[in-house]
Amino acid sequence: MQIGVPAESMAGETRVAVTPETAKKLTAQGHTVRVQSGAGVAASVTDAAYQAAGAEITDADGAFAADIVLKVRSPSDAEAARMKPGTVVIGMLNPFDAPGLQRLASAGLTSFALEAAPRTTRAQSMDVLSSQANIAGYKAVMIAADRYQRFFPMLMTAAGTVKAARVVILGVGVAGLQAIATAKRLGAVIEASDVRPSVKEQIESLGAKFIEVSYDTDEEKEAAVGVGGYAKPMPPSWLARQQVEVAKRVALADIVISTALIPGRAAPTLISEDMVKSMKAGSVIVDIAAGKGPDGIGGNCPLSEADKTVIKHGVTLVGETNLAALVAADASALYARNVLDFLKLVITKEGTLKIDLEDDIVAACRMTQDGQVTRT
Ligand code: NAD
């Protein structure tokens, strides 16, 4: 089959959906891989590296004219219009973006959003949320360390002792766990909060402390279990108790990394303005949920601003919304492997397209087909 790899057009998107490693595997399977010239440059991949892997370098028209188009982000209006009806598009298409899906359906595209894959063992190798959140958690700590005007580790020097940084992590999914691991490697003292008590063991195994909040009613206990591994909105009674515990830690913290999300809903508000005011001057908040809060600008903290770094009440708030794109080479390498694994589900050994809706991953990821939005 012809597989096209256009350059990403969204501002700040540096990743690419195919790397020389995956291009080599696809060409070895007999497919033609057409990469738009320059598509990998921001991810440190040259056209020559793709050619050495057996891919053809083409212009945008050549990449969009393929049977299967591999993307990082959902195609824009202009990009959707460049593809012929029936083209298969695979990428991070945002299953919650109804107008975006309608655009793909209207263009007659058959599309698969990899974020919609179930969080099962079989789907793990194509789990783009995990591969990219892992990078986001790492980069959030790197940015915090860069912005923070003190050390992370405790140091005993001839000029005196420096205290270890205190880090609070809010939301301990994939990004939060990696943030804990990264801050730990730098020598910080870490406490973490999540609505799901099942993460306590994971937090402790990484050398951090779980911020305990009791579950007092059946409603609270039931909500804390979540669904499919994801959090459900917690009752206000529990959130109020959590806020008291978190506020105490945030007031003492040097760094807060917040990652709390609930799929398909606004990110919960966990760091109020008063909590920011209680922090020491020079503290840093990296809000991975920026842009996903109730107003679409803030995140877990209403003072953060999507894609901006601002200083409020003496605290630096980093609202970078695409942290994975700041580690473009490795983010692309992992994403491209996720994509390659998904392709195995929709391309037969004989090299033809087969959309098997009996396969739970294929069915969950399919967003549009035959002019219809088919998202389940
Ligand atoms: P996510 O990005 O949806 O959310 C981040 C974290 O925020 C979650 O841990 C969530 O519980 C937490 N959160 C939500 N509301 C909160 C609040 N008010 N206060 C504090 N924390 C709050 O999560 P994710 O990283 O995508 O991970 C989701 C789940 O999927 C996890 O259970 C993870 O272990 C699981 N997972 C499973 C597999 C697999 O089995 N294949 C792979 C990856 C992840």
Side-chain angles (χ1 to χ4, degrees):
M1 302 196 78
Q2 292 185 349
I3 297 176
V5 188
E8 293 298 317
S9 62
M10 186 179 277
E13 189 49 77
T14 54
R15 294 168 289 180
V16 62
V18 167
T19 56
E21 177 194 320
T22 61
K24 195 170 178 184
K25 290 188 176 151
L26 289 167
T27 51
Q29 289 162 19
H31 304 297
T32 304
V33 179
R34 292 201 177 139
V35 182
Q36 182 180 343
S37 180
V41 167
S44 314
V45 185
T46 61
D47 287 356
Y50 282 119
Q51 280 170 320
E56 291 173 14
I57 297 299
T58 171
D59 58 9
D61 285 338
F64 280 115
D67 306 311
I68 300 179
V69 171
L70 302 180
K71 291 271 292 135
V72 176
R73 306 300 278 255
S74 191
S76 63
D77 273 333
E79 288 173 332
R82 287 181 105 139
M83 291 179 265
K84 55 183 185 290
T87 302
V88 172
V89 183
I90 299 171
M92 290 191 280
L93 309 181
N94 189 356
F96 296 107
D97 173 16
L101 296 185
Q102 190 52 56
R103 178 169 68 226
L104 301 179
S106 302
L109 305 172
T110 300
S111 64
F112 295 93
L114 297 181
E115 310 99 300
R119 300 314 267 281
T120 55
T121 307
R122 192 170 76 91
Q124 236 164 1
S125 64
M126 53 203 89
D127 183 346
V128 294
L129 291 179
S130 291
S131 73
Q132 305 304 298
N134 195 20
I135 294 173
Y138 161 83
K139 191 67 181 178
V141 175
M142 292 291 108
I143 291 176
D146 184 46
R147 294 280 171 172
Y148 183 52
Q149 297 303 311
R150 297 174 194 273
F151 280 109
F152 261 50
M154 195 267 275
L155 288 182
M156 290 165 83
T157 80
T161 301
V162 174
K163 279 203 273 183
R166 294 181 75 108
V167 175
V168 171
I169 312 277
L170 302 175
V172 191
V174 178
L177 282 173
Q178 183 56 255
I180 294 176
T182 305
K184 188 74 188 169
R185 282 181 205 119
L186 290 176
V189 174
I190 307 152
E191 291 185 272
S193 171
D194 200 291
V195 297
R196 297 175 298 119
S198 55
V199 296
K200 178 178 193 271
E201 214 176 281
Q202 296 169 29
I203 291 170
E204 290 174 348
S205 74
L206 289 170
K209 203 171 155 208
F210 182 54
I211 301 174
E212 302 272 1
V213 180
S214 61
Y215 301 89
D216 292 353
T217 63
D218 287 346
E219 191 198 4
E220 290 177 5
K221 280 178 204 148
E222 197 237 321
V225 175
V227 55
Y230 292 110
K232 281 206 294 203
M234 290 300 284
S237 53
W238 189 90
L239 289 172
R241 286 203 301 284
Q242 181 201 30
Q243 185 145 49
V244 171
E245 293 308 316
V246 167
K248 286 186 216 159
R249 273 60 172 209
V250 167
L252 297 173
D254 300 298
I255 310 288
V256 178
I257 310 278
S258 73
T259 79
L261 292 172
I262 300 167
R265 289 174 179 263
T269 300
L270 300 179
I271 314 164
S272 64
E273 180 155 15
D274 280 345
M275 285 159 77
V276 176
K277 281 185 188 163
S278 76
M279 295 178 80
K280 285 169 278 188
S283 301
V284 179
I285 298 173
V286 180
D287 191 346
I288 298 188
K292 298 196 175 108
D295 64 357
I297 302 167
N300 295 138
C301 180
L303 300 193
S304 16
E305 294 180 28
D307 291 318
K308 287 189 185 154
T309 295
V310 293
I311 299 178
K312 293 185 184 169
H313 307 300
V315 175
T316 300
L317 293 115
V318 179
E320 178 57 57
T321 59
N322 196 358
L323 286 160
L326 301 178
V327 191
D330 275 338
S332 301
L334 300 180
Y335 179 71
R337 287 182 205 146
N338 294 148
V339 170
L340 183 72
D341 273 314
F342 181 79
L343 280 173
K344 288 178 193 154
L345 302 183
V346 290
I347 300 181
T348 64
K349 286 203 175 64
E350 294 71 41
T352 56
L353 185 72
K354 181 168 180 254
I355 297 171
D356 175 9
L357 295 176
E358 296 292 307
D359 184 309
D360 65 329
I361 303 173
V362 175
C365 291
R366 187 184 62 147
M367 295 289 127
T368 63
Q369 194 169 7
D370 299 328
Q372 304 293 321
V373 174
T374 54
R375 178 187 190 278
T376 49

